[in-house]
Amino acid sequence: MKKELHIFFTCLMFYTRIPCPKNITHHPDYLNKATRYFPFIGWIVGSISFLAFYLFSFFLSTEIAVILAIIASILTTGAFHEDGFADVCDGFGGGWTKEKILMIMKDSAIGAYGAIGLVLLFLLKFKLLSESILLFTNNILLIFLLCISAHSLSRLAAITIIFTHEYSRDDASSKSKPIAKQYTWKEVFGSFFFGLIPLIVFSYFDLKFLLAIIPVFITRYFLAGYFQKWIDGYTGDCLGATQQVCEVVFYLSILFLWKFI
């Protein structure tokens, strides 16, 4: 139990800015095993985002509350996944060889592709999340489950890439390298358990919501294939980009399912 808590706090420290016990470090062995809790981080980030929306919605408009909820999630993770998304936009937008793409993604500066990508990402996320919340305006529990499901399922989609593809970089220059070394059934089971439980509970209120998993994993499949084609695998930035894109696809799927099915 003590070891599992250490692994969990390692995951929490790596993927968020939430304070952790002082004895927790980025030990490669624990960090590798921490992948089993990555979707559970979605529970935490989604809960914080929902709480921000819920509190601000009492005295501000829905749209402003949604913006503040998105800001809360970014502050919680330190823009960890958004940074990966921007790097992927820059790398794959400006590079035409594996070496060039990896070099651009490693650069800490943001380019035009990354900036444009982030603007469009946030516009989509704001609009889709706002409209999704309006669907459940009279049921705060469903809004909570919407937030948790989006963050956990998108993280599940991202982390499964390490189960099916190889890490792209040959050196250990990336801070995400340890998570790519190896995994066991515990990492696979833990990821799917924490990734799917919120969606299953969400689907209890309307079974069609369970169908949202299909477009999310189709998106994951094509993104993983795209990364494989250009850089022979994935990097930590690719996982972050996958999480962000799949989160947006989830909101879009819920809207589509509600309106047309």
Side-chain angles (χ1 to χ4, degrees):
M1 184 63 181
K2 184 178 180 180
K3 183 178 179 181
E4 284 299 317
L5 281 175
H6 196 125
I7 294 172
F8 166 72
F9 280 120
T10 299
C11 186
L12 189 67
M13 173 182 280
F14 188 76
Y15 292 112
T16 75
R17 295 293 179 87
I18 297 174
C20 294
K22 293 182 179 180
N23 65 317
I24 304 300
T25 62
H26 292 146
H27 190 280
D29 183 48
Y30 284 137
L31 188 55
N32 185 64
K33 294 177 180 178
T35 55
R36 71 187 69 164
Y37 293 115
F38 182 47
F40 185 70
I41 298 300
W43 294 27
I44 298 172
V45 177
S47 296
I48 293 173
S49 180
F50 165 77
L51 184 61
F53 166 79
Y54 182 68
L55 293 176
F56 286 114
S57 65
F58 280 111
F59 51 90
L60 295 171
S61 68
T62 298
E63 289 77 11
I64 295 177
V66 167
I67 293 174
L68 292 171
I70 294 173
I71 292 174
S73 69
I74 293 173
L75 291 175
T76 302
T77 62
F80 192 69
H81 308 303
E82 290 82 1
D83 178 66
F85 175 81
D87 286 341
V88 165
C89 289
D90 281 332
F92 287 87
W96 292 98
T97 65
K98 174 182 177 179
E99 293 71 23
K100 184 67 173 178
I101 291 172
L102 292 176
M103 183 181 71
I104 294 174
M105 286 200 293
K106 192 176 179 181
D107 189 348
S108 59
I110 186 172
Y113 290 106
I116 294 169
L118 283 176
V119 170
L120 295 176
L121 175 76
F122 288 134
L123 282 174
L124 267 175
K125 190 179 293 189
F126 161 71
K127 188 60 177 177
L128 292 172
L129 184 54
S130 296
E131 291 196 14
S132 298
I133 287 175
L134 288 176
L135 297 177
F136 315 120
T137 187
N138 295 321
N139 194 326
I140 201 67
L141 177 58
L142 285 180
I143 297 176
F144 172 70
L145 290 171
L146 172 75
C147 294
I148 302 296
S149 299
H151 283 275
S152 61
L153 187 64
S154 60
R155 281 166 172 77
L156 171 63
I159 208 64
T160 56
I161 292 179
I162 75 169
F163 303 148
T164 57
H165 293 72
E166 295 294 326
Y167 191 76
S168 182
R169 295 189 188 276
D170 295 325
D171 56 29
S173 60
S174 172
K175 62 183 180 181
S176 299
K177 174 71 173 179
I179 70 172
K181 289 183 177 179
Q182 59 184 353
Y183 61 89
T184 66
W185 68 268
K186 291 182 179 180
E187 282 68 62
V188 176
F189 176 80
S191 296
F192 276 89
F193 177 81
F194 291 119
L196 294 177
I197 286 297
L199 180 61
I200 292 173
V201 177
F202 189 35
S203 302
Y204 172 79
F205 295 91
D206 196 324
L207 194 59
K208 65 186 176 187
F209 292 150
L210 194 60
L211 295 175
I213 194 174
I214 298 175
V216 168
F217 271 84
I218 289 176
T219 302
R220 176 263 183 213
Y221 172 81
F222 280 106
L223 284 174
Y226 184 75
F227 300 147
Q228 181 66 36
K229 174 183 177 181
W230 284 98
I231 61 173
D232 300 320
Y234 69 93
T235 67
D237 288 331
C238 295
L239 300 183
T242 301
Q243 186 277 317
Q244 287 292 294
V245 174
C246 287
E247 183 184 341
V248 168
V249 169
F250 178 81
Y251 297 135
L252 181 61
S253 302
I254 294 299
L255 280 174
F256 181 87
L257 289 168
W258 183 269
K259 292 183 178 181
F260 300 107
I261 295 181

